[in-house]
Amino acid sequence: MELAPRKCRFPPPLLLLLLLLGLSTGAIVNWPTEEGKEVWDYVTVRKDAHMFWWLYYATNPCKNFSELPLVMWLQGGPGGSSTGFGNFEEIGPLDSDLKPRRTTWLQSASLLFVDNPVGTGFSYVDKDDAYAKDLATVASDMMVLLKTFFDCHKEFQTIPFYIFSESYGGKMAAGIALELHKAIQQGSIKCNFSGVALGDSWISPVDSVLSWGPYLYSVSLLDDQGLAEVSQVAEEVLDAVNKGLYKEATQLWGQAEVIIEQNTDGVNFYNILTKNAPMSPMKSSLEFTQSHLGHLYHRHVRHLNQDSLSQLMNGPIRKKLGIIPEDCSWGGQSKNVFLNMEGDFMKPVISIVDELLEAGVNVTVYNGQLDLIVDTVGQEAWVRKLKWTELPKFNQLKWKPLYSEAKSSETSAFVKRHENLAFYWILRAGHMVPSDQGDIALKMMRLVTQQE
Ligand SMILES: *[C@@H]1O[C@H](CO)[C@@H](O)[C@H](O)[C@H]1NC(C)=O
Ligand SMILES: *[C@@H]1O[C@H](CO)[C@@H](O)[C@H](O)[C@H]1NC(C)=O
Ligand SMILES: *[C@@H]1O[C@H](CO)[C@@H](O)[C@H](O)[C@H]1NC(C)=O
């Protein structure tokens, strides 16, 4: 098995021959047979660090893939898998029962799922010191992956390329977008980068934490006593962040969540209209589950690695892919991915969004109305902190309603756009916007990628 850093695995004539002979190369398989082309592989992005990606060519009855954009999807956590959760639970062609998804984004874009940071999903490290510990490493690893990808798949170099993301994936997407913009300017990566979309994204964690209390109070999920308790711990988080004590801030963030859980009878952080679903016990020591990081991991990564999805990925999907090393299990290193980013969680990246806006990169922010962990009020708060010179004009605009179908009178979202910043308020969606509201999420992607 070849897992070393690689150029394209086989020269095209050999590949064609192998396909004609009906031999699986492990890299290109059509499955299910009538669906479009898929390709996947590993890229060694650093010593001992191997990143897995999976590309689906757009399948549209009227358009060739070359007439549609390429969208890269980045999951959160950190440690949540794009190839697993994003693909089978949100936007890919099949759901986790392997049934076709009506609202798949594949009808309007080619989709590139990447398991990042290394150690996430089918990505893996050989040594414990190879995990990423900060956003800079996450972004530079992704530059190696994207350079390899676009060098090997020249057909995508001119196609408009967009990054869409969710949660912590949004924070990574911002950092990655800025590095990609620079790499294109320097000529080191050839691609037609056209914009980044930050979904329910962890851009300014403290703005989320500070808005939890007032948000929950306003929708009858906290009483006066509860509001006071939540506000107090939120102030402590703010204090720690202001002092640059990010690990302490992470610990306090965990405490704030426990206080909310106690005062709301277990509200679900990903959709305030539901309750926390009990999870199966983690396969790890009691000590870990009781530690503050264990608690946070359990809440923020385990829900992306449910047992049923894990069985799918480690069963039929792994078999289909055929290149996953025997000792690598999907999700097996996700806990370590999360723990290694401990010092990065609470760092804001508002200044990176400012740099993107000043550089002329198209930035979209979208947020689910019912999300708590990254509530919309908190997103609006960091947007107001942007130093972008066009912000006053953006603020003066009125939003416009959006409907998922022309015939429908039900408001699905509101949108505001000025120059290269757009904000979508997605109604009736929690944290996972495409899972909760597939129709409007697809429409939004089409709007962002200038197809409507
Ligand atoms: C689709 O586009 C690719 C790349 O431009 C081209 O090679 C291929 O022939 C096209 N396929 C069809 C069916 O037009
Ligand atoms: C990027 O995509 C747009 C839209 O398809 C196209 O007009 C433009 O020429 C492309 N740019 C590059 C550098 O390929
Ligand atoms: C940014 O979006 C606007 C439309 O909203 C579009 O006209 C422009 O071409 C986009 N810029 C890039 C670099 O894709």
Side-chain angles (χ1 to χ4, degrees):
M1 191 174 316
E2 183 204 329
L3 292 168
R6 41 168 309 232
K7 309 262 181 311
C8 308
R9 185 172 297 235
F10 295 107
L14 177 56
L15 185 61
L16 190 64
L17 181 66
L18 286 169
L19 286 175
L20 287 174
L21 291 172
L23 297 176
S24 166
T25 64
I28 296 187
V29 179
N30 291 323
W31 183 82
T33 44
E34 69 278 10
E35 295 297 326
K37 190 162 97 164
E38 301 170 31
V39 195
W40 55 85
D41 211 345
Y42 279 100
V43 173
T44 297
V45 293
R46 253 184 301 123
K47 189 170 179 302
D48 301 322
H50 313 279
M51 203 177 279
F52 180 71
W53 59 267
W54 186 348
L55 167 76
Y56 293 76
Y57 287 75
T59 53
N60 181 294
C62 309
K63 282 192 171 147
N64 191 344
F65 82 88
S66 59
E67 300 167 66
L68 291 166
L70 170 64
V71 166
M72 176 166 76
W73 177 264
L74 297 181
Q75 207 67 44
S81 160
S82 303
T83 68
F85 198 90
N87 185 4
F88 291 100
E89 302 283 354
E90 303 213 72
I91 61 169
L94 302 175
D95 66 17
S96 49
D97 296 320
L98 302 182
K99 301 255 159 51
R101 171 178 285 107
R102 184 180 57 81
T103 55
T104 178
W105 289 15
L106 200 59
Q107 58 201 286
S108 298
S110 296
L111 297 177
L112 176 61
F113 296 99
V114 181
D115 282 340
N116 95 303
V118 281
T120 299
F122 284 128
S123 295
Y124 64 97
V125 299
D126 303 316
K127 297 216 176 91
D128 275 348
D129 63 4
Y131 291 105
K133 291 188 171 52
D134 52 35
L135 183 59
T137 311
V138 167
S140 62
D141 284 353
M142 185 60 83
M143 288 314 107
V144 179
L145 184 124
L146 290 176
K147 180 168 172 46
T148 310
F149 175 83
F150 285 108
D151 282 352
C152 281
H153 296 275
K154 295 199 165 41
E155 70 272 30
F156 284 106
Q157 286 180 356
T158 53
I159 289 179
F161 175 59
Y162 293 86
I163 304 174
F164 277 74
S165 57
E166 185 171 284
S167 194
Y168 206 88
K171 182 171 178 175
M172 298 192 288
I176 287 166
L178 189 58
E179 287 310 303
L180 180 60
H181 176 74
K182 290 179 192 164
I184 293 166
Q185 303 282 300
Q186 290 157 5
S188 57
I189 296 181
K190 284 196 187 63
C191 91
N192 193 350
F193 183 40
S194 302
V196 60
L198 312 170
D200 296 69
S201 58
W202 205 229
I203 299 296
S204 178
V206 78
D207 281 312
S208 294
V209 176
L210 287 170
S211 56
W212 286 345
Y215 174 45
L216 289 170
Y217 186 82
S218 74
V219 292
S220 311
L221 281 166
L222 281 180
D223 63 359
D224 291 293
Q225 200 65 38
L227 176 61
E229 284 178 33
V230 173
S231 301
Q232 189 188 330
V233 68
E235 287 300 322
E236 289 171 33
V237 175
L238 176 64
D239 193 46
V241 168
N242 283 342
K243 289 181 176 144
L245 303 172
Y246 292 111
K247 287 191 184 179
E248 196 179 325
T250 298
Q251 185 168 356
L252 288 163
W253 160 40
Q255 273 181 28
E257 291 187 347
V258 172
I259 290 171
I260 284 180
E261 209 153 49
Q262 289 164 350
N263 279 284
T264 57
D265 195 26
V267 69
N268 183 343
F269 274 81
Y270 300 103
N271 186 322
I272 58 155
L273 296 187
T274 63
K275 285 187 70 164
N276 261 334
M279 297 270 264
S280 64
M282 275 202 295
K283 291 189 205 85
S284 56
S285 71
L286 196 61
E287 234 167 281
F288 175 69
T289 28
Q290 287 178 348
S291 71
H292 76 274
L293 281 175
H295 231 96
L296 285 169
Y297 169 79
H298 199 245
R299 199 194 307 282
H300 297 292
V301 185
R302 272 285 294 169
H303 77 107
L304 300 170
N305 294 0
Q306 303 107 323
D307 294 340
S308 57
L309 185 60
S310 177
Q311 279 159 18
L312 173 69
M313 298 305 285
N314 283 314
I317 300 303
R318 160 193 207 95
K319 195 158 174 248
K320 161 190 162 121
L321 298 173
I323 61 165
I324 311 301
E326 239 163 69
D327 55 356
C328 162
S329 81
W330 180 87
Q333 294 183 335
S334 66
K335 187 174 92 186
N336 293 332
V337 173
F338 188 81
L339 298 182
N340 275 278
M341 293 293 280
E342 178 189 10
D344 190 81
F345 289 137
M346 299 305 285
K347 284 188 188 161
V349 295
I350 307 172
S351 62
I352 295 183
V353 179
D354 258 322
E355 285 187 69
L356 288 168
L357 289 168
E358 293 299 342
V361 174
N362 278 347
V363 177
T364 299
V365 178
Y366 65 96
N367 224 73
Q369 180 187 31
L370 304 174
D371 187 8
L372 171 60
I373 185 73
V374 187
D375 56 8
T376 304
V377 185
Q379 297 289 66
E380 291 163 339
W382 72 253
V383 168
R384 275 195 295 275
K385 293 178 183 168
L386 288 169
K387 298 194 171 73
W388 184 48
T389 49
E390 293 292 325
L391 187 67
K393 285 187 195 148
F394 178 86
N395 287 338
Q396 279 162 20
L397 284 180
K398 279 198 160 189
W399 67 13
K400 291 199 179 80
L402 285 177
Y403 312 92
S404 24
E405 293 167 58
K407 291 181 290 241
S408 170
S409 64
E410 187 173 273
T411 317
S412 298
F414 290 99
V415 62
K416 218 177 191 189
R417 185 183 308 107
H418 175 68
E419 303 265 313
N420 52 335
L421 177 65
F423 197 123
Y424 288 78
W425 289 258
I426 309 291
L427 305 187
R428 292 176 295 283
H431 192 61
M432 286 84 178
V433 168
S435 302
D436 287 354
Q437 294 297 338
D439 288 299
I440 190 68
L442 174 61
K443 186 184 172 84
M444 174 193 70
M445 185 275 277
R446 291 175 50 81
L447 283 163
V448 170
T449 58
Q450 300 184 54
Q451 299 182 58
E452 286 189 19

